[in-house]
Amino acid sequence: MNAIPELSGRQPGAVHSAFAVLEEVARAGPGITAQQLSARLGLPRATAYRILNLLVQDEYLVRMPDLRGFALGRKVAELADVAQAQDAAATAREAVAELRARIRGGVHLAVYRDDRVVPVDVDPDFPLSDPKRIGSDLSVSALGRLLLAEQAARAVPSPTRFTTQEGELVPGFGCLAVPVRGGDQRLVAGLALALPAARLADRDGLVSLVADTAVRLGPLLGR
């Protein structure tokens, strides 16, 4: 990860201006131009262009197809997803905490946003071994495989009871994930157990341990 330099001189003002640009694009909607932003925010046009170029470069904004206007980018959407997911998960933490108290192993809760795994309640005693890889490659984790199974079931409906991974991320350890479904039976989240691989042999027993919690979470996360 690149080190973040300390702010000095006029940099704090530039940061505030960048936030103001993002907020104005969000209020105006896709298509607002640099000239319009400059006028509305009282920024010199050169400053507005410089900020816009940086925000596009960092994927907080994108240029519209006509190359004149701007819209919110991928990173803003990801931040919004995480914030919404964490708000929803706050109401579910009690249920997850109760499950952790009954299981000798890690318990992780993740929600699904735009076909992505978004961890929202990671067991502090059993942290995720490779969060970046889990978020970028659905095939390596039980939570990701749960989403892949759901995508496959859209073509050939077949409810998934659980998915597993053994030794994919850490030798000798693995995970089992069960689906959390909303009222319309749509997959909204996954509840995963992180355990020594030897304990994954009793899959039906593990599913029965977490099934009630998954059902309890459904109405909380499927709003």
Side-chain angles (χ1 to χ4, degrees):
M1 180 181 296
N2 293 329
I4 300 175
E6 293 185 7
L7 295 178
S8 61
R10 299 180 180 178
Q11 288 177 325
V15 172
H16 286 299
S17 295
F19 282 130
V21 168
L22 282 173
E23 290 171 359
E24 191 60 34
V25 173
R27 278 192 293 267
I32 187 170
T33 66
Q35 184 175 353
Q36 290 170 328
L37 284 164
S38 173
R40 294 183 187 186
L41 298 175
L43 290 173
R45 191 171 301 182
T47 300
Y49 275 110
R50 186 163 58 251
I51 291 173
L52 287 166
N53 285 334
L54 286 171
L55 291 173
V56 169
Q57 179 181 324
D58 288 341
E59 300 183 63
Y60 288 100
L61 293 178
V62 294
R63 296 183 186 276
M64 298 296 288
D66 62 6
L67 300 181
R68 293 180 65 250
F70 297 85
L72 296 178
R74 177 183 63 83
K75 284 191 177 178
V76 174
E78 289 180 0
L79 289 172
D81 284 346
V82 171
Q84 291 171 1
Q86 288 177 339
D87 286 345
T91 62
R93 287 199 176 100
E94 181 179 349
V96 175
E98 290 174 3
L99 179 61
R100 286 181 183 140
R102 294 190 286 109
I103 289 183
R104 291 179 298 109
V107 178
H108 305 304
L109 176 66
V111 298
Y112 299 111
R113 293 282 188 273
D114 298 326
D115 292 335
R116 290 183 293 108
V117 177
V118 182
V120 292
D121 193 345
V122 175
D123 196 319
D125 295 325
F126 299 85
L128 296 175
S129 56
D130 194 340
K132 185 174 181 180
R133 189 177 175 200
I134 290 170
S136 63
D137 185 352
L138 296 179
S139 69
V140 301
S141 69
L143 288 166
R145 291 174 183 179
L146 199 61
L147 181 55
L148 289 174
E150 186 75 3
Q151 292 170 342
R154 292 171 188 170
V156 182
S158 177
T160 303
R161 290 183 61 233
F162 65 87
T163 55
T164 63
Q165 71 83 9
E166 296 182 40
E168 189 75 32
L169 295 166
V170 179
F173 288 84
C175 287
L176 177 144
V178 298
V180 175
R181 299 187 181 279
D184 56 0
Q185 292 303 298
R186 176 176 53 88
L187 180 69
V188 294
L191 192 59
L193 303 181
L195 304 163
R199 290 181 58 193
L200 291 174
D202 183 17
R203 287 168 166 74
D204 289 338
L206 292 172
V207 171
S208 68
L209 281 176
V210 299
D212 288 346
T213 302
V215 170
R216 181 178 169 187
L217 291 172
L220 298 174
L221 299 175
R223 295 171 181 172

